[in-house]
């Protein structure tokens, strides 16, 4: 009797505490998933590198400074041309600046926001400074009154620092003015009296080729503009951070956690609490995780089916082996009680038949048990069935003895090829030919036909005999293990009932099918049996 085992499926939503090993508990310390923590860390690190580089690199500052320098140079040249062309020079024959008119013109018509203009005469003396002429006096409210006895803060260090900054600024502007009075234009970035970064352009004021003075235009607020740009970048950084966190969360929920659940389900199968993985909410997904879940379920289902098949095979083997063993034991127990040589010879023949049957069973069982390993170990390759069948039939022809059933082969001119293993496929054809010869009458013929048809399995191999045929109710039963129905006169124990079962197993392992049918005459009379093997083709060579 074949034992039937129920396949229990594990429907798991996560790992169980009692199943977690210490190594696994350490692995689930990042929100339950190392992969989720790695995704979050990697996304945040890339974001930090991006915005850190954007804040630290000097590209924006350098571009802003260059734009300011170009703008101030254009403004300074325009002012110098206006000073020359508006007749603010006087003196004949030697022209010189009209300091009063230049001062009035600059202070009345040029008061730019955030910029400072200074004009120096030919001796380097300051004539006009836009910061020193204004109509309004800026002020600020006084601070709160301090209590009596409060010590006065010592501002000497602060004043000394301010004086040093002013001295440096004065020295820098003096160098620029001297260069301009020598006829050279100076464009630079320096610190002003308050220690702020400013862009300064100093150019000579000329009349033809004579230098009449120096004009300095400077603009500040460079650091403020950069800070404003960085502040404007912050909303985008926050949005990018939110998107990264959301992406990390989505990857954790839809990738890391499903993988963790699949791992826990696999552990349940390994711990023998379930025979197959079943996670319906993951199997319904149309992405790679769903493919993985379906593949794991299919794999575990296949393993479960294989385990059930092994259990049934073991039960069938045990049942089949017990029959000859029981017969042998009975014969051995009866042998000492036999008095005549005739009875003793009959028991001896019975023992020999049972031993041969047992040897045949063990050989076929060994071959069947090694079949799966051989099919998985050998790599499939393209096999020409014309040549393989020709070699097999030629062996039967060369080893035929008087009275043996002949084997005829019919095949097309084109070479038909299948992807498979020649050893197992050769066993299929030999089993079918041997089975057909055993059922054929003495004047019968076994016909092997190779042909190509339409469909997914276009290559058909037919093995026909002239025997009594197969009862309609046994067309499928003949492929079951240990099923035997031999013709009269066949040697007892010469067949184990595994040949056709092995044929179907090998055919299905090659992506094909195997079935049996009867050859019928026009009047419906059975002419013999026919076994058909259908295999997929991989190419045709003329």
């Amino acid at each position: 009797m074949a034992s039937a085992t129920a396949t229990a499926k594990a429907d798991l939503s996560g790992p169980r505490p009692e199943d977690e090993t210490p190594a696994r508990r350490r692995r689930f310390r990042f929100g339950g998933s190392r992969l989720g923590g790695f995704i979050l860390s990697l996304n945040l690190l890339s974001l930090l590198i991006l915005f850190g580089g954007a804040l630290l690199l000097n590209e924006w500052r350098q571009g802003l400074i260059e734009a300011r320098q170009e703008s101030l140079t254009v403004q300074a040249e325009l002012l110098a041309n206006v000073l020359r062309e508006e007749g603010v020079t006087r003196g004949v024959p030697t022209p010189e600046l009209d300091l009063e008119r230049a001062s009035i013109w600059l202070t009345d018509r040029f008061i730019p926001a955030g910029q400072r203009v200074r004009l120096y005469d030919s001796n380097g003396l300051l004539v006009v400074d836009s910061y020193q002429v204004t109509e309004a006096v800026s002020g600020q409210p006084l601070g709160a009154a301090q209590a009596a006895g409060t010590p006065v803060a010592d501002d000497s260090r602060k004043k000394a620092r301010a004086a040093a900054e002013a001295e440096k600024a004065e020295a820098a502007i003096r160098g620029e003015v001297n260069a301009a009075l020598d006829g050279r234009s100076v464009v630079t970035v320096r610190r002003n009296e308050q220690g702020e970064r400013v862009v300064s352009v100093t150019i000579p004021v000329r009349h033809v080729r004579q230098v009449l003075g120096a004009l300095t235009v400077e603009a500040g607020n460079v650091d403020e503009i950069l800070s404003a740009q960085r502040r404007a970048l912050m909303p985008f950084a926050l949005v990018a951070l939110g998107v990264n966190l959301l992406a990390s969360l989505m990857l954790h929920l839809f990738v890391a956690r499903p993988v963790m659940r699949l791992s826990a389900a696999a552990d349940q199968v390994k711990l023998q609490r379930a025979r197959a993985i079943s996670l319906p909410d993951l199997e319904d997904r149309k992405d790679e995780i769903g493919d993985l879940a379906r593949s794991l379920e299919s794999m575990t289902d296949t393993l479960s089916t294989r385990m059930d098949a092994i259990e049934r095979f073991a039960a069938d083997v045990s049942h089949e082996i017990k029959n000859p063993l029981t017969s042998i034991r009975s014969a051995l127990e009866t042998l000492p009680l036999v008095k005549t040589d005739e009875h003793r010879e009959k028991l001896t023949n019975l023992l020999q038949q049972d031993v041969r049957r047992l040897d045949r069973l063990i050989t076929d069982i060994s071959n069947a048990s090694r079949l799966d390993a051989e099919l998985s170990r050998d790599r499939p390759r393209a096999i020409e069935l014309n040549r393989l069948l020709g070699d097999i039939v030629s062996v039967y022809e060369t080893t035929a003895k008087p009275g043996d059933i002949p084997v005829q082969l019919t095949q097309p001119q084109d070479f038909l090829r299948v992807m498979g293993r020649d050893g197992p496929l050769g066993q299929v054809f030999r089993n079918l030919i041997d089975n057909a010869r055993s059922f054929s009458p003495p004047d019968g013929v076994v016909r092997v036909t190779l042909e190509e048809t339409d469909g997914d399995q276009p290559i058909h191999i037919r093995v026909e005999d002239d025997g009594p045929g197969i009862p309609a109710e046994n067309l499928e039963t003949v492929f079951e293990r240990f099923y035997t129905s031999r013709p009269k006169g066949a040697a007892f124990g010469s067949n184990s009932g595994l040949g056709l079962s092995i044929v179907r197993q090998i055919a299905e392992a090659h992506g094909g099918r195997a079935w049996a049918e009867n050859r019928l005459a026009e009047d419906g009379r059975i002419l013999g049996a026919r076994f058909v093997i259908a295999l997929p083709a991989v190419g045709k060579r003329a």
Side-chain angles (χ1 to χ4, degrees), residues 59 105 159 187 249-250 268 284 360 401-402 425 437 472 491 508 510 524:
E59 296 292 335
W105 189 86
K159 291 179 180 179
V187 181
L249 179 61
M250 298 294 287
Q268 292 296 99
D284 294 338
R360 178 72 177 180
K401 299 177 182 179
L425 286 177
R437 294 178 73 185
E508 292 177 351
H510 286 78

Side-chain angles (χ1 to χ4, degrees), residues 212-374:
L212 305 179
L215 181 66
T216 299
V217 182
E218 66 182 40
N221 301 330
V222 176
D223 294 332
E224 294 180 6
I225 295 175
L226 288 173
S227 299
Q229 289 180 338
R230 288 171 177 169
R231 288 192 298 270
L233 184 64
M234 286 299 105
F236 297 96
L238 294 177
V239 171
L241 177 61
V243 171
N244 269 269
L245 292 176
L246 180 61
S248 300
L249 179 61
M250 298 294 287
L251 289 173
H252 174 71
L253 293 178
F254 293 103
V255 176
R257 286 186 62 84
V259 170
M260 183 177 63
R261 291 179 58 195
L262 290 173
S263 175
D267 288 342
Q268 292 296 99
V269 174
K270 181 183 68 174
L271 295 174
Q272 298 181 354
R273 295 189 178 183
R275 293 290 292 271
I277 292 175
S278 179
L279 298 175
D281 56 331
L282 296 183
E283 296 162 10
D284 294 338
R285 290 177 54 169
K286 305 302 181 184
D287 54 8
E288 288 76 5
I289 297 297
D291 294 340
L292 176 60
R294 289 187 290 271
S295 297
L296 286 177
E297 182 182 14
S298 176
M299 180 188 68
T300 52
D301 281 339
T302 302
L303 290 175
S304 178
T305 303
R306 182 65 57 82
M307 292 172 63
D308 294 339
I310 292 174
E311 291 176 359
R312 291 193 300 269
F313 182 72
D316 293 343
V317 167
S318 175
H319 176 75
E320 291 296 325
I321 290 180
K322 280 183 178 180
N323 290 333
L325 286 179
T326 302
S327 177
I328 291 174
R329 183 177 60 184
S330 299
L332 290 177
E333 291 176 352
T334 307
L335 188 60
L337 304 178
V338 174
K339 302 301 183 179
T340 65
D341 294 338
E342 180 182 358
H343 290 166
R344 186 177 292 106
E345 184 178 357
K346 289 182 178 180
L347 284 177
T348 302
N349 293 333
L350 179 63
L351 285 173
Q352 292 176 351
Q353 290 177 0
D354 289 334
V355 169
R356 286 195 299 269
R357 181 184 177 191
L358 188 61
D359 178 71
R360 178 72 177 180
L361 277 173
I362 293 176
T363 301
D364 289 346
I365 290 171
S366 176
N367 294 334
S369 62
R370 290 199 308 266
L371 183 60
D372 286 339
E374 292 177 357

Side-chain angles (χ1 to χ4, degrees), residues 448-468:
V448 180
T449 304
L450 173 64
E451 64 180 1
E452 185 176 17
T453 62
D454 298 329
D456 297 335
Q457 299 165 341
I459 298 181
H460 287 189
I461 301 96
R462 301 197 310 268
V463 179
E464 302 175 348
D465 60 48
D466 298 328

Side-chain angles (χ1 to χ4, degrees), residues 13-282:
S13 59
R16 299 182 181 180
E18 63 270 18
D19 300 330
E20 293 181 2
T21 61
R24 182 174 292 280
R25 286 196 292 269
R26 288 195 299 270
R27 190 175 71 180
F28 290 161
R29 58 191 174 195
F30 294 110
S33 170
R34 285 195 307 174
L35 183 59
F38 177 73
I39 291 172
L40 178 61
S41 302
L42 190 60
N43 284 343
L44 291 180
L45 179 61
S46 61
L47 191 64
L48 289 176
I49 292 174
L50 175 63
F51 285 101
L55 294 177
L56 294 178
L57 290 179
N58 205 28
E59 296 292 335
W60 287 352
R61 177 181 299 175
Q62 188 63 31
L64 177 62
I65 290 174
E66 292 177 357
R68 278 299 179 90
Q69 288 175 346
E70 293 177 1
S71 175
L72 292 181
T73 300
V74 172
Q75 293 180 20
E77 291 177 352
L78 178 60
L79 290 176
N81 291 336
V82 171
L83 286 175
R84 182 179 67 249
E85 295 174 0
E86 287 290 331
V88 294
T89 60
R90 61 182 177 81
V92 179
T94 303
E96 60 183 14
L97 283 175
D98 190 334
L99 301 181
E100 183 178 357
R101 289 178 61 190
S103 176
I104 294 173
W105 189 86
L106 287 175
T107 55
D108 288 348
R109 302 187 182 183
F110 187 83
I111 308 177
Q115 294 186 1
R116 183 177 184 179
V117 177
R118 284 179 282 192
L119 179 63
Y120 295 86
D121 61 9
S122 59
N123 296 319
L125 299 178
L126 180 62
V127 177
V128 180
D129 188 348
S130 62
Y131 274 19
Q132 295 178 1
V133 180
T134 181
E135 297 179 358
V137 178
S138 60
Q140 57 184 0
L142 296 175
Q146 296 181 352
T150 301
V152 180
D154 186 9
D155 294 337
S156 58
R157 185 174 300 176
K158 186 175 181 180
K159 291 179 180 179
R161 188 181 301 110
E165 292 289 344
E167 184 177 353
K168 291 181 181 179
E170 183 65 24
I173 190 63
R174 179 57 56 187
E176 296 177 15
V177 171
N178 292 335
L181 294 177
D182 291 337
R184 302 192 306 273
S185 297
V186 180
V187 181
T188 185
V189 179
R190 55 177 173 81
R191 299 279 181 178
N192 60 10
E193 292 84 351
Q194 289 76 32
E196 299 174 349
R197 188 190 303 272
V198 295
V199 178
S200 176
V201 176
T202 303
I203 64 173
V205 179
R206 301 174 184 270
H207 185 272
V208 190
R209 300 184 63 181
Q210 182 179 354
V211 177
L212 305 179
L215 181 66
T216 299
V217 182
E218 66 182 40
N221 301 330
V222 176
D223 294 332
E224 294 180 6
I225 295 175
L226 288 173
S227 299
Q229 289 180 338
R230 288 171 177 169
R231 288 192 298 270
L233 184 64
M234 286 299 105
F236 297 96
L238 294 177
V239 171
L241 177 61
V243 171
N244 269 269
L245 292 176
L246 180 61
S248 300
L249 179 61
M250 298 294 287
L251 289 173
H252 174 71
L253 293 178
F254 293 103
V255 176
R257 286 186 62 84
V259 170
M260 183 177 63
R261 291 179 58 195
L262 290 173
S263 175
D267 288 342
Q268 292 296 99
V269 174
K270 181 183 68 174
L271 295 174
Q272 298 181 354
R273 295 189 178 183
R275 293 290 292 271
I277 292 175
S278 179
L279 298 175
D281 56 331
L282 296 183

